[in-house]
Amino acid sequence: MKTRQQRRFSEFCLVCMRDIIEDIAPWFEAGERFALATVTRTWSSSPRPIGASMAVSAAGEVVGSVSGGCVEGALYEACLEVLQTGTPQRVTYGVSDDDAFEVGLTCGGIIELFICAVDAETFPQFVDVHAAIRGDKPIAVATLLT
């Protein structure tokens, strides 16, 4: 039996992917590469839960949100870099005394994200993930970060 926290985490992650899956599926189906940024960790207060996602297409189109607008501009640039280099990145955004007026979360929290390029070569399972979400079936994707 799942604990209350496990049920809540599962519900958040499913809702977050459902937020953007129908928008990014056409990119994938058309063979267009895109960057996918996903919240992997939070500290203190954060505007979106673990699993919240934002995607940036090769054409520069954006779908999703990871912070309600606080860091999306900087994250967009990081996504473009991942698209150019093909190298995944982990990025962290938050507010400190030194950068309170720079890119950061005004809520005082900290979020860590993983950004990767997605296409048929890098993530062939995308079709299965999309089908499972569309069919309201359980599915999990794990990425080992070192």
Side-chain angles (χ1 to χ4, degrees):
M1 175 176 267
K2 287 184 178 180
T3 67
R4 182 174 178 218
Q5 183 178 10
Q6 288 170 324
R7 280 192 310 273
R8 197 166 157 228
F9 176 78
S10 297
E11 291 164 6
F12 276 141
C13 289
L14 185 59
V15 168
C16 293
M17 183 50 85
R18 287 187 189 277
D19 285 351
I20 68 169
I21 192 75
E22 294 303 327
D23 293 318
I24 61 178
W27 297 346
F28 186 87
E29 291 162 5
E32 183 176 356
R33 190 174 204 205
F34 58 92
L36 182 63
T38 304
V39 176
T40 57
R41 197 168 172 193
T42 66
W43 294 266
S44 190
S45 176
S46 65
R48 300 284 322 269
I50 292 171
S53 300
M54 180 178 113
V56 177
S57 73
E61 186 178 351
V62 177
V63 295
S65 174
V66 296
S67 72
C70 299
V71 302
E72 274 76 356
L75 185 57
Y76 176 83
E77 296 299 323
C79 285
L80 291 179
E81 185 176 328
V82 167
L83 282 173
Q84 284 182 331
T85 65
T87 304
Q89 290 185 25
R90 287 198 310 193
V91 295
T92 303
Y93 299 105
V95 173
S96 70
D97 292 340
D98 295 335
D99 66 6
F101 296 103
E102 299 293 326
V103 173
L105 299 172
T106 56
C107 60
I110 299 170
I111 60 172
E112 181 179 88
L113 300 104
F114 177 69
I115 309 167
C116 62
V118 176
D119 60 22
E121 183 180 326
T122 62
F123 190 39
Q125 304 86 356
F126 182 88
V127 173
D128 298 327
V129 172
H130 182 221
I133 290 173
R134 185 176 260 179
D136 204 22
K137 295 180 182 172
I139 190 158
V141 176
T143 302
L144 298 178
L145 305 175
T146 57

